[in-house]
Amino acid sequence: MNPTVVIIARWVALPGKAADVAHWLEHAVKAARQEPGCLRYQVHHGLDNANLFVLYEEYVDAAAHQTHISSTAFQQIVLGQIVPLLAERQVDRLQAE
């Protein structure tokens, strides 16, 4: 059995763009949660920094995560709409040992 793949993404919106990021994230979450290999896709919004978003994603395996980042929704929503609104973007890929 392949270990699940966990993604922890830390995004910081450009000043004045947090509401736009949150808007597009609603669409990204809906699409990701419909993918068969997605076990969890949870967005957290900063309490002390309104521009901070942390995403916790879990996929059944690396292939499922690859399917996610290759999807039309990811390409159009995350890369096309959200990334241009970010000042910072860090993505860590992890797996259980």
Side-chain angles (χ1 to χ4, degrees):
M1 181 172 162
N2 293 330
T4 61
V5 171
V6 170
I7 306 301
I8 308 244
R10 184 183 187 279
W11 297 350
V12 178
L14 290 165
K17 298 299 182 183
D20 295 328
V21 170
H23 165 78
W24 287 110
L25 268 171
E26 289 180 26
H27 298 284
V29 168
K30 184 177 179 181
R33 288 181 178 166
Q34 293 176 0
E35 296 169 4
C38 180
L39 298 173
R40 184 167 182 174
Y41 197 104
Q42 183 68 49
V43 176
H44 304 272
H45 196 171
L47 292 174
D48 298 323
N49 179 353
N51 291 325
L52 175 63
F53 296 85
V54 175
L55 286 66
Y56 178 89
E57 307 169 35
E58 188 172 5
Y59 300 90
V60 296
D61 57 20
H65 177 248
Q66 184 59 48
T67 297
H68 167 70
I69 62 174
S70 298
S71 71
T72 300
F74 182 86
Q75 296 293 316
Q76 291 180 350
I77 299 169
V78 175
L79 297 182
Q81 298 296 327
I82 297 174
V83 169
L85 301 173
L86 301 179
E88 296 176 32
R89 179 177 180 231
Q90 177 182 334
V91 179
D92 294 311
R93 288 175 18 113
L94 310 162
Q95 70 180 28
E97 293 195 11

